[in-house]
Amino acid sequence: MSPFNPASRTTALSTILAACCVLVAGAAGVHLLYNHTKNNLHSKAPMLLAPMIGAIDTCIAAPTDTTQEPHTGDLERSCMGPRGSAAALVESTLSTLRPSSSAQNAYPLGYTLPVPLLQLFRKDIHGGWEIDSPMVDRLVRTIRDTDRPLILYLFSTHFSTNASLEKALAQDAGNLAQTRDGPLVQSSYYGAPIHNWTFATPHTELTKRRVQAARAMLDAVCRLPAHDIAKIRGVTLLGELHHLFPDFESGMGFTPPYRVTDYSPQSIAAFRTFLRDEFQSVGKLNRAVGADYASFDEVVPPSKDIRVEPLQRYTEHIDSFAQGTLPISGWAYVSRTEGSGPAWVHVFRNGVFVGKTPVDKGRQDVLKAKPEFGNADTGWRLDMDFRRLPAGIHRIDVFLEQTPGRLKPLGTRHIAIMDRAQTPPKQLPQQPLPPSTTAIPSPPASIDMPVDESSYYYNPLVPLWHQFRGQQVVDYLRFFNDVVHESCLSNVPHYTHQIVPFANPSWDAHKFAIDASLREQQGIRLGVSLYGDASYGQAFGQWYRATGHRGYGVTEFHPLKAMNTPTLQRTLDQHAARGAEFLSFFMEPRWEGKLVARGHNIFSFDPDNPQFGSDALYESMRQALSQGTANPPRQ
């Protein structure tokens, strides 16, 4: 999913992807092959470029009604029929980037094959649901008939694929995530339908169908000859998996009211079990959160705003800041020359230095409003921990440092850190601010947060609630990973396909509760979608080095700006040197050099797509792939 707001989506399956078991085991020789692959190929192989081509809606799941207008040339015949697959379409599309699969380059060119799990069903003669075996066979034949390595993407997220089964599943509230107000109904994200599926428990009809489809696909894959199975370099799991909230299109930030998932009865019971395991006794919990629960059964997840709702206990309070940090953030435009470092924002609280943060984060909304800037990397953000600050009115001063040592004031905010009793806050003592100069004219800039005269309450139960919610994400990923692990692809690397909310300075990452799934997981490698500065800047690399991961996959890649060939090549080399094992980006399908008619993905690298510099990125990628270069050393 593109990590900025606003954005837009089409309803095409590939755009929805942007965004997102007892199996027949292989023979012993196949497992030996995978052990060899795991120990030798994946640890030493160059980074695989694995574009995700819009081949599902145009080929694999295309309508077979003969009254439909046929596709260009022989495309329809190559897709459908007893021997049909997307292999020819994949090869036709990739050949526009590099003519031959055997052409030499630092990075081999393969593809990502998305498998839309809930779309693998059709109605049976009794009105129930059965696996659409012909569709599964077309997917598997695509692997067989394409002489390129691939990433197998077992896809099922909250973004709809317009599958008939989805409509039936959405009628059962047990399949839907719940806020404190009840199940979340269908919503949309810039025109793309969203089903707010639950993962609070795997015991749902939704999960049953996901597993059934995954088993059908994996069983069919495992019947392929060993040399075809060996083409699969990795399996990505489900797509983006995170907690949800109402108004997904514009609700990713900090605006109240605060509503997150999951408050289903099963989730509340599991939260109590989580607390019992963490603290062993209710007395320890009470001391940790300042409560007076008589038993764990009295604990309810935080769900109310103390400013506007009566509370029975203080621990019921929750908002975007109740976990104990608040963002000090905004944007500033500073003209930069090629290779120069970023400007810095310095933050002072009551005259005391809190910290500084670079002006280098993506703000597509600012660029949209100020296209004359020509650069989206104007954002900045510093998260201030207020858990141990004294109650009272604190003064926040923000300065811009364009030249080392020279500070220019950007503005002042006054905030109230509140106690549990909501005692009227008093002004706190101030220290003198550092020397500064006022620029004339002042640089274009804004302090978006905090809002002046805003109030903040820390509730120690909220971090525990978010920790539990994050564990729900991890547990569901592990459950689904076990399904894949029991197949013949057990020794092929398995990856998440997650977003990184912390890379967007306007988002409240705690709503997503995704951070735990980005940490090192036993048996699951890191797979992340990187957009904007996260794809090319330093922040992701700094974060990655601190995680302990030994490799990762880039499940979606888009810089959101044009890059010339040397710059794109350096960016690819940077990921490879850091440990990236594959890198995927969207491409539009092309047949005999012509664009296939469909709902096009605004993030596709394509010569006919000017959005976000995608046409220039396509040409730079094409030129980079035509040049043979040495593999960069791993960092």
Side-chain angles (χ1 to χ4, degrees), residues 197-219:
W197 304 127
T198 184
F199 52 84
T201 171
H203 305 298
T204 61
E205 183 68 15
L206 166 71
T207 299
K208 174 184 173 182
R209 295 301 185 181
R210 282 173 168 170
V211 171
Q212 181 183 1
R215 288 175 172 173
M217 181 66 194
L218 292 167
D219 283 351

Side-chain angles (χ1 to χ4, degrees), residues 126-147:
H126 304 293
W129 298 97
E130 65 179 4
I131 293 295
D132 186 342
S133 297
M135 185 174 175
V136 171
D137 291 342
R138 287 193 292 275
L139 286 162
V140 173
R141 284 194 295 268
T142 300
I143 299 172
R144 184 196 68 185
D145 298 341
T146 306
D147 293 328

Side-chain angles (χ1 to χ4, degrees), residues 269-286:
F271 179 52
R272 292 167 178 161
T273 299
F274 166 82
L275 293 175
R276 189 177 290 108
D277 292 341
E278 285 283 314
F279 293 97
Q280 286 80 53
S281 75
V282 73
K284 290 181 180 179
L285 170 65
N286 285 333

Side-chain angles (χ1 to χ4, degrees), residues 37 69 79 185 203 246 264 296 327 337 343 353 402 594 611 614 624:
T37 300
E69 183 70 20
C79 292
V185 298
H203 305 298
S264 65
F296 286 102
T337 58
F353 180 68
Q402 293 177 260
K594 296 180 181 179
Q611 299 193 69
S614 299

